[in-house]
């Protein structure tokens, strides 16, 4: 089965942690470290996996500055759905 962009968006939105990450990014870009600090119950690897799902769905755009990874909300896929 070929998964379209809309399918990836809905799949990404199906998880409450990923929705919370998007809510945090709606207030402005956050580093991965800042996001990890927000989720005390999750390890860095788990947060990174959630961010990877959001990135594949084009909901998060990553910009790197040296060793720092900035995560930005991309609202376009949400508007399209």
């Amino acid at each position: 089965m070929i998964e379209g962009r809309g399918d990836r968006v809905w799949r990404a939105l199906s998880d409450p942690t990923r929705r919370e990450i998007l809510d945090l990014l709606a207030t402005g870009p956050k580093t991965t470290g800042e996001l990890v600090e927000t989720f005390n119950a999750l390890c860095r690897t788990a947060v990174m996996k959630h961010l990877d799902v959001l990135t594949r769905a084009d909901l998060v755009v990553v910009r790197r500055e040296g060793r720092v990874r900035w995560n930005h909300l991309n609202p376009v896929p949400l508007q399209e759905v």
Side-chain angles (χ1 to χ4, degrees):
M1 179 175 104
I2 298 175
E3 189 177 71
R5 182 178 184 176
D7 294 330
R8 287 190 304 270
V9 169
W10 286 115
R11 190 175 314 273
L13 294 174
S14 69
D15 185 274
T17 301
R18 290 193 286 266
R19 290 193 305 268
E20 191 173 346
I21 290 171
L22 293 176
D23 287 342
L24 290 168
L25 294 177
T27 65
K30 304 276 185 285
T31 65
T32 300
E34 290 171 330
L35 292 172
V36 169
E37 289 174 6
T38 303
F39 297 95
N40 296 329
L42 297 177
C43 66
R44 183 177 189 84
T45 304
V47 173
M48 291 290 295
K49 286 182 181 182
H50 285 298
L51 285 169
D52 287 343
V53 171
L54 293 168
T55 302
R56 283 195 306 273
D58 296 324
L59 292 167
V60 171
V61 176
V62 176
R63 297 274 187 314
R64 294 185 189 278
E65 290 181 16
R67 295 184 66 194
V68 179
R69 175 182 155 137
W70 286 93
N71 302 283
H72 301 260
L73 175 65
N74 178 15
V76 174
L78 293 172
Q79 294 165 348
E80 290 176 349
V81 172

